Amino acid sequence: MTAAVLEIDDALATYDPVLGLEVHVELNTRSKMFCGCPTEFGAPPNTQTCPVCLGLPGALPVVNARAVESAIKIGLALNCEIAEWCRFARKNYFYPDMPKNFQTSQYDEPIAYNGWTEVVVDGETYRIEIERAHMEEDTGKSTHIGGATGRIHGASHSLVDYNRAGIPLIEIVTKTIEVPGEKAAAVARAYVSMLRDLLFSLGVSDVRMDQGSLRCDANVSLKPSGSTTLGTRTETKNVNSFRSVERAVTYEITRQAAVLSSGGKVLQETRHWHEDTGITTSGREKSDADDYRYFPEPDLVPVAPSREWVEEVRATLPEAPSLRRARLQQEWGFTDLEMRDVVNGNALEPIVATVELGVTAAAAKKWWLGELARAANESGQELDALGVGAAEVAEVQKLVDEGTLNDKLARQVFEGLLAGEGTPAEIIEKRGLALVSDDSALIAAIERAIAANPDVVEKVNSGKPAAAGALIGAVMKDMRGQADAAKVRQLLNEKLGI
Amino acid sequence: MTDLTRKTAAELAELMTSGQASSVEVTQAHLDRIAAVDGDVHAFLHVDSEGALAQAKAVDAKRAAGEQLAPLAGVPLALKDVLTQEGVPTTAGSKILEGWKPPYDSTVVKRLKAAGIVILGKTNMDEFAMGSSTENSAYGTTHNPWDLGRIPGGSGGGSSAAIAAYEAPLAIGTDTGGSIRQPGAFTGTVGVKPTYGGTSRYGLIALASSLDTPGPCARTTLDAALLHEAIAGYDPMDSTSINQDVPPVVAAARNGDVAGLRIGVVKELGGEGYQPGVEARFHEAVELLTKLGAEVVEVSCPHFEYALPAYYLILPSEASSNLAKFDAMRYGLRVGDDGENSAERVTSLSREAGFGAEVKRRIILGTHALSSGYYDAYYGQAQKVRTLIARDFANAYEQVDVLVSPATPTTAFPIGDRINDPIAMYKNDLCTIPSNLAGNAAASFPCGLADEDGLPVGFHVMAPVLRDDLCYQVGAALESALADQWGGVLMTKAPELGVTR
C-alpha cells in the first residue's frame, strides 16, 4: 500500500503546490432541504424519510427558507455577493443511495459568489478567495456488508439509510490558492479550522467533522517552481479532521512530486484518504468529460432573496471570529503566544464565560489552560466534557481573592471538582482545605520556626531580611499549606521587628 | 330510474342532493357499466370496486347525517394512472411500476377525496404519458368508443374513453402537450388543460415537470368546470403552484355569454395538413360564435411553427432526468437481482425490461440534448423558442381575449396507423403544444363530426394564464348553440357499445 514519495522539502524545492478546497457543510436546520423531515443525527435508519426525500414517483421538492437564510449568512460572513436571483439545477448521475438519481444542487447560478476570507498561520495572514457558496442536498448513506474493509469492494451486499438524503448542504469552494509551498498544508488546515469556527459562530451547523457535518475535499496540483501553468489536480475526498487535511495535502504534494520527478503523469482522479496509514489511494478516475447534464430544476421556482432580507440577515451576523479574537486579546492583554495557546487549547469560550462572571482574564486563563486543559489532556477528554464550568472556576477564584484559599489549595479544590466530589464549598469542607486565619495558631507556628532556625534568625538580624523566606517556608510546612503566606510574612515581620 | 350512467355529473349531484339516488347506487351503476363494456374499450387498468363503494357509502352516510357536502360529493370519477392514490396500484402505464402501490395520495386525489368524489379506478395511458394514441401503454391499447378500431387519443386515452363510454361521468387527465385535449377531441368530450400551476403536480408521476398539468375530462362544459373547481388551487407541496384564487370557472360555464368577446383565430394553426372535415366543423363553430356576438379576427403567432421541435427537445430532456429514479432500488420491477449482478447491472436489466420503446427513444433523445456540448444547441435553443412562443401569446392577447384553433389536425386515426412513425404521431399535437410551452389555459370542446369519417372534432380555446374561465365561457356558448342544432350534446350521437358481459 505504500507509494513512492519524495521528502516534503525536496518536493517543495522543485514544485509549487496549488490548492483548491471544497468544504461541504451540513446545515443544522430542523427539517430537510426540500421536505419537512427531521434531520436529527443518529436516528434509526430510514425513520426520517417521506415521499419527497425518498424520491418516490410524483413527489416534489419545496425549498426550505431557513436553509436559504443560512446560506445567505454563510455567504455574507465570507464577504460574498448574494445573488438577487438564483436557481437550482439538476446534477444527473447514478448512485444507489441517491433517491432521484439526480442531485438538486446549484450550478451556474449559486446563491453566494466572489468572496474572500483570511487565515493566520504563524502570525502571517493569508487571503483566501472564495469562488462560491452554493446550496444542495445530501445523499443517503450506504453501508457495505461482508467485506473486510467496509468498502464496496468485496462486500456481499449493501444497506442504504436515507435519513441523510435531503439534509441541506452548503458547498463552499475556494478559488485556486497559491501560498508559499512550505505553508500550503498549514494554510489548508487553518482555512478549514477557521471555517469551522466561523460556521459555529453563525450557528448554522453543528460543524462536527466526526459526524460528517463538515467535510473537506482537497484539490492539490503541482507546477514546476516559477511556472504559471497549472498541473493536473487530484481531489482527495472527505477528509475528516483538521490534522488530516494538513497530512493529506502534504502527502499529495510528496506523492505527486515523486510521480512527476520520475517522469510520470499525475492522473486527474479522486483519491481516498486513509487516516491510519496517512496516505491517499486512487479512487475513481475523473475527467473533465464527466457529464452531469445540468439543467435548471423545473420543479422549483427560482430563489430571489430580497435586498431587505439580505440586509436583515447581515444585521444579525455575529462578530467575525478573527475580529473577535483580536478584540479579546487586546482586552485581556494577552501576548500572541498566549492567545494562540488559549485557542489551540479550546479554552477561548470557557475563558470568555469565566471573565463574564467577574474573574480577571489572567486568572481565568491560569485555571482553564493550566489546570483544566491539562487534566482534559491527561484523560483524553474534551474541555467541555470535564464537568467543570465557568461558574465553578469563578467561585474558586472568588475564594482565593477573599483569602479563603491560596493557589495550592485551589488546585486541590479543582482536583475534587474533577473527581466529582461536590461543590467547591463541599470539597473544602470534606478535605479540610480552608486557610487558617486564627492569628494565635500562626504565631505559635512562627515561634516554633524561630526556635528551630536560630541561624536564619541570625542572618535576618544581621541585615539580610530576604533570608526570612526560609522561615515562612517552615511555617507553611508546619501549617500543611493552609496558611495565607502574606499573613504569615506580616506576623513574622512584626515578631522579628523588621 | 333511467340509466344513471347517462347522466352528467351535475345531474347526478342533483339526484343525490334531492335524495332520488344514493352514491352507492350511482357508483354501482358505473361499476356495472365498466363490467359490461370495458372488455371492449379497455379504458381501465385497475378497477377499485371495493374502495369506490366504501367511499360512496361514506358519502351517503354523511349526507344522511345532514352534513354539508361539496357540489360533486358522491359522483364517481376515473383517475389517470399517473396520479398516486394511497394503496391503489399506480403504474403510469409502464411495466417498470407494475404492482407498485404508492404510500401517499397526490394532492389531486386528496382534493377529490375531500370533495367526496368517488374514485372508481385507474385509467389506461401511454407509458409515462408519452404518446398521442394510448398505444404505448404497456398494458394494451384503449379503444375509441366511437369506433373500436380507432385509437382514443393519448396519452390520456383511458380517461377520455371512460367518460365517452359512460363508464364514468368524470375523469382526471394530465396534459403535457395535449394529453387531455387531444383525446377529448377524439372522443367527443370536453378536456381542459388548466393554467400551469393552477392545479397541483404533487403526486403526478412526472413526464416533463415544466409542462405537466392535471385537469378535468367530462362530457359537458359544466361538469368539467365543477371538477376543475374541486381540484384546483394553491398547494404548498408544489413549488410551481400559483398562490392566487381559482378563476371563476363554474360561473363561466353556467354563463356562456360571448357577446363582445374578442376571439382570435390563429392563422398558423390550420390549412395544409388539416383534415377538411376538421376544418369545416372548426369554421362553422367560429361562425356560430360570431352569430352569438363574439368579435372574430385572425391573429398571427409566427413562432408556433417552432413549437413542436422545441417541445420535443424540452420534454425528453426533462423526462430523461425524471425517469432516472426508476432504478429498481426501492420499488417497481427488479430484474437480475440474483446476487451475481452489481447494482448498476440490476438497474440496466430492469430498465431494459421495464421501459417501452417510446420511453427509451425519448430518454436517449433527452440525454443527448442535455449532454455537454449539445446543451446550448438543443435545450438552450428550445428554451429560447419557448420564450418567443410566450411572447406570441402575449402579443395576441393584446388584441383578443382568447385564441382558437382546431384541437387536432385530424380525427381519431385507426389503431396501428402511426405507431411506427413517431414524427407523424408527434404532429398530432401541433395545436395543443404551444399552450403547454407558455403555461396558458386551454381546452377542447366537441364541435361536431367530420364529414369523411363521422368522428368527433375538437374546438380548441386558449386563454391567458389564470383566465381558464374564458375557455369555459366560450365552451359553454358553443355547447349550448350546438345542442340546439343537435338536440343534445355531441356524445348523444355516439354509437351504442355492444354490452359484452
Side-chain angles (χ1 to χ4, degrees):
Chain A
M1 283 272 280
T2 52
V5 295
L6 285 188
E7 288 301 315
I8 185 74
D9 292 344
D10 296 337
L12 295 173
T14 326
Y15 300 101
D16 290 338
V18 177
L19 305 178
L21 298 166
E22 294 169 20
V23 172
H24 284 89
V25 189
E26 259 187 13
L27 297 180
N28 59 4
T29 51
R30 284 169 57 189
S31 57
K32 291 186 179 181
M33 187 74 219
F34 300 117
C35 66
C37 284
T39 54
E40 199 185 312
F41 181 81
N46 296 308
T47 53
Q48 300 184 347
T49 59
C50 73
V52 176
C53 58
L54 286 176
L56 292 188
L60 294 173
V62 176
V63 176
N64 180 341
R66 286 299 294 273
V68 175
E69 184 179 303
S70 295
I72 293 172
K73 272 188 190 171
I74 292 171
L76 290 173
L78 292 170
N79 304 298
C80 289
E81 292 174 50
I82 305 300
E84 293 195 26
W85 190 90
C86 64
R87 264 193 301 201
F88 283 94
R90 289 190 187 174
K91 183 179 184 180
N92 293 281
Y93 62 104
F94 173 80
Y95 214 77
D97 60 16
M98 195 166 61
K100 296 172 291 189
N101 285 325
F102 59 78
Q103 186 182 27
T104 306
S105 178
Q106 290 195 301
Y107 175 50
D108 50 356
E109 299 164 304
I111 187 153
Y113 54 95
N114 265 354
W116 59 270
T117 186
E118 287 176 345
V119 296
V120 178
V121 172
D122 296 341
E124 195 79 34
T125 301
Y126 297 90
R127 183 178 164 104
I128 312 279
E129 304 283 341
I130 304 293
E131 170 88 31
R132 57 191 281 153
H134 72 247
M135 301 180 274
E136 60 185 35
E137 58 181 337
D138 214 339
T139 61
K141 199 172 182 323
S142 297
T143 309
H144 306 294
I145 310 289
T149 58
R151 293 192 184 275
I152 195 164
H153 184 75
S156 65
H157 62 286
S158 303
L159 302 173
V160 186
D161 177 7
Y162 293 99
N163 281 353
R164 202 180 67 179
I167 288 188
L169 284 182
I170 304 293
E171 183 175 348
I172 302 167
V173 183
T174 66
K175 293 182 181 169
T176 51
I177 306 170
E178 296 187 50
V179 292
E182 72 273 17
K183 296 288 186 202
V187 166
R189 174 188 181 144
Y191 169 73
V192 180
S193 164
M194 180 281 304
L195 268 188
R196 201 270 308 257
D197 291 350
L198 182 72
L199 296 164
F200 182 82
S201 79
L202 293 174
V204 295
S205 170
D206 298 337
V207 288
R208 295 283 300 262
M209 287 189 97
D210 56 334
Q211 292 181 359
S213 63
L214 187 74
R215 313 199 280 271
C216 179
D217 299 343
N219 291 294
V220 176
S221 68
L222 296 186
K223 57 184 188 183
S225 298
S227 164
T228 52
T229 320
L230 291 176
T232 305
R233 68 167 196 279
T234 61
E235 182 180 6
T236 304
K237 304 289 282 184
N238 292 331
V239 189
N240 61 358
S241 75
F242 303 140
R243 187 164 163 266
S244 298
V245 169
E246 187 165 2
R247 289 171 72 207
V249 167
T250 304
Y251 180 81
E252 267 305 287
I253 292 171
T254 54
R255 186 190 69 82
Q256 290 184 20
V259 170
L260 293 173
S261 34
S262 64
K265 265 190 169 166
V266 173
L267 295 177
Q268 184 167 332
E269 61 185 358
T270 60
R271 297 187 66 86
H272 299 300
W273 167 247
H274 301 275
E275 185 69 49
D276 44 355
T277 48
I279 67 167
T280 68
T281 56
S282 180
R284 181 167 57 96
E285 199 165 329
K286 189 175 180 176
S287 71
D288 286 329
D290 248 337
D291 193 348
Y292 293 117
R293 306 192 311 283
Y294 284 102
F295 72 106
E297 165 61 275
D299 283 331
L300 290 171
V301 290
V303 176
S306 75
R307 295 301 97 179
E308 293 75 30
W309 187 29
V310 172
E311 290 315 309
E312 274 171 36
V313 173
R314 196 194 300 276
T316 67
L317 290 187
E319 188 180 11
S322 57
L323 294 179
R324 177 166 177 258
R325 228 173 266 172
R327 175 176 60 78
L328 290 172
Q329 185 183 341
Q330 205 196 359
E331 282 176 15
W332 295 346
F334 287 2
T335 64
D336 287 352
L337 188 66
E338 283 175 322
M339 198 64 185
R340 199 193 312 162
D341 288 345
V342 166
V343 171
N344 291 343
N346 283 330
L348 187 71
E349 299 310 323
I351 292 175
V352 168
T354 309
V355 168
E356 274 170 7
L357 293 172
V359 177
T360 65
K365 173 171 151 294
K366 178 173 71 187
W367 299 128
W368 279 109
L369 213 51
E371 204 60 24
L372 297 168
R374 187 172 47 74
N377 201 26
E378 279 166 9
S379 62
Q381 277 177 294
E382 291 295 326
L383 202 52
D384 57 9
L386 288 178
V388 178
E392 280 83 34
V393 174
E395 194 180 338
V396 170
Q397 182 58 37
K398 188 172 143 235
L399 293 169
V400 172
D401 292 340
E402 287 170 359
T404 309
L405 295 174
N406 58 14
D407 282 7
K408 189 173 168 194
L409 292 172
R411 280 193 189 93
Q412 293 183 47
V413 175
F414 279 116
E415 242 177 66
L417 285 169
L418 290 168
E421 290 172 18
T423 65
E426 287 164 0
I427 293 163
I428 290 167
E429 171 71 27
K430 269 186 225 161
R431 294 195 171 194
L433 294 178
L435 291 173
V436 174
S437 51
D438 178 358
D439 282 4
S440 58
L442 291 178
I443 290 167
I446 286 168
E447 282 169 352
R448 282 195 293 276
I450 289 174
N453 298 284
D455 49 332
V456 178
V457 175
E458 180 62 36
K459 273 187 194 163
V460 173
N461 287 340
S462 65
K464 289 181 182 162
L471 293 172
I472 293 169
V475 173
M476 294 303 281
K477 193 175 172 191
D478 193 0
M479 298 298 296
R480 301 200 328 278
Q482 281 172 269
D484 181 343
K487 183 90 180 165
V488 171
R489 178 180 294 277
Q490 182 209 327
L491 291 172
L492 181 72
N493 287 354
E494 281 172 17
K495 195 84 191 165
L496 296 176
I498 305 174
Chain B
M1 175 157 305
T2 52
D3 188 354
L4 289 170
T5 63
R6 298 285 159 157
K7 303 282 182 196
T8 68
E11 289 165 351
L12 289 171
E14 179 54 37
L15 286 175
M16 288 185 273
T17 310
S18 61
Q20 297 174 66
S22 70
S23 177
V24 168
E25 285 166 345
V26 170
T27 302
Q28 189 59 58
H30 286 92
L31 290 170
D32 292 346
R33 174 73 180 173
I34 293 169
V37 303
D38 207 52
D40 287 340
V41 179
H42 190 43
F44 283 86
L45 293 180
H46 177 79
V47 179
D48 182 21
S49 307
E50 213 172 292
L53 287 169
Q55 284 180 66
K57 220 170 156 183
V59 172
D60 286 338
K62 282 183 184 172
R63 207 185 299 274
E67 262 186 60
Q68 188 70 35
L69 300 176
L72 291 175
V75 176
L77 169 142
L79 182 67
K80 189 175 179 182
D81 200 31
V82 73
L83 285 148
T84 62
Q85 182 182 351
E86 188 179 343
V88 175
T90 301
T91 66
S94 181
K95 282 280 179 219
I96 210 154
L97 273 176
E98 190 162 17
W100 182 58
K101 291 180 181 173
Y104 76 107
D105 277 338
S106 51
T107 298
V108 166
V109 165
K110 262 190 200 143
R111 290 187 178 173
L112 291 171
K113 286 180 174 175
I117 295 169
V118 173
I119 303 171
L120 295 168
K122 310 300 285 291
T123 57
N124 199 11
M125 57 183 286
D126 285 304
E127 184 176 1
F128 287 110
M130 296 182 193
S132 309
S133 67
T134 314
E135 291 166 291
N136 291 330
S137 167
Y139 304 99
T141 301
T142 296
H143 300 258
N144 191 324
W146 287 76
D147 176 348
L148 294 175
R150 291 182 186 257
I151 56 96
S155 64
S159 288
S160 293
I163 51 175
Y166 296 101
E167 294 171 289
L170 299 172
I172 293 288
T174 61
D175 193 310
T176 306
S179 293
I180 294 175
R181 291 163 288 163
Q182 185 250 21
F186 283 1
T187 59
T189 58
V190 175
V192 179
K193 182 201 93 69
T195 295
Y196 178 81
T199 47
S200 170
R201 289 186 296 116
Y202 189 79
L204 160 60
I205 297 174
L207 168 54
S209 306
S210 72
L211 302 163
D212 297 343
T213 314
C217 313
R219 292 191 295 266
T220 69
T221 307
L222 178 61
D223 280 4
L226 289 166
L227 180 55
H228 187 133
E229 202 169 65
I231 61 168
Y234 177 62
D235 177 15
M237 297 293 278
D238 176 356
S239 161
T240 57
S241 169
I242 300 174
N243 193 357
Q244 281 185 43
D245 289 345
V246 177
V249 290
V250 173
R254 291 190 198 279
N255 165 355
D257 179 8
V258 292
L261 197 75
R262 294 170 304 162
I263 293 175
V265 175
V266 182
K267 193 173 83 180
E268 285 79 6
L269 300 179
E272 203 188 325
Y274 285 70
Q275 195 178 315
V278 167
E279 289 229 299
R281 292 298 88 80
F282 169 70
H283 288 299
E284 286 167 20
V286 172
E287 281 296 301
L288 213 48
L289 291 169
T290 316
K291 279 187 195 144
L292 293 171
E295 191 187 314
V296 176
V297 293
E298 191 182 74
V299 298
S300 175
C301 295
H303 298 98
F304 278 19
E305 68 168 300
Y306 306 113
L308 198 65
Y311 175 83
Y312 277 102
L313 286 169
I314 292 168
L315 176 137
S317 296
E318 293 186 11
S320 71
S321 172
N322 282 330
L323 296 183
K325 67 175 57 168
F326 298 98
D327 59 6
M329 287 295 132
R330 284 153 295 136
Y331 47 79
L333 188 72
R334 190 166 166 118
V335 176
D337 182 17
D338 54 9
E340 296 303 311
N341 293 309
S342 66
E344 280 86 350
R345 185 82 188 118
V346 168
T347 297
S348 302
L349 290 169
S350 303
R351 286 174 174 170
E352 170 60 33
F355 286 143
E358 182 64 20
V359 173
K360 287 174 184 161
R361 180 181 298 134
R362 295 199 197 185
I363 288 173
I364 290 168
L365 203 62
T367 304
H368 183 67
L370 285 179
S371 58
S372 92
Y374 295 99
Y375 179 95
D376 290 334
Y378 294 136
Y379 187 82
Q381 211 54 21
Q383 289 291 14
K384 284 180 192 159
V385 170
R386 192 172 187 173
T387 305
L388 294 174
I389 286 165
R391 227 173 268 168
D392 276 0
F393 271 114
N395 290 338
Y397 289 137
E398 288 194 357
Q399 307 162 52
V400 297
D401 298 305
V402 295
L403 296 171
V404 297
S405 75
T408 55
T410 69
T411 55
F413 41 89
I415 289 170
D417 204 33
R418 299 185 189 175
I419 194 69
N420 293 318
D421 187 351
I423 304 295
M425 188 76 91
Y426 296 169
K427 278 187 173 163
N428 214 263
D429 300 331
L430 218 56
C431 306
T432 49
I433 279 172
S435 307
N436 295 87
L437 289 172
N440 289 351
S444 172
F445 302 96
C447 68
L449 303 175
D451 303 321
E452 308 87 17
D453 48 25
L455 290 169
V457 175
F459 185 80
H460 189 216
V461 186
M462 296 164 270
V465 164
L466 285 183
R467 289 311 307 272
D468 308 53
D469 53 316
L470 291 176
C471 295
Y472 285 100
Q473 203 172 319
V474 174
L478 193 63
E479 185 177 271
S480 97
L482 290 171
D484 289 346
Q485 282 185 13
W486 303 331
V489 294
L490 182 64
M491 268 310 301
T492 56
K493 303 274 182 200
E496 278 298 325
L497 288 169
V499 173
T500 54
R501 46 184 108 141

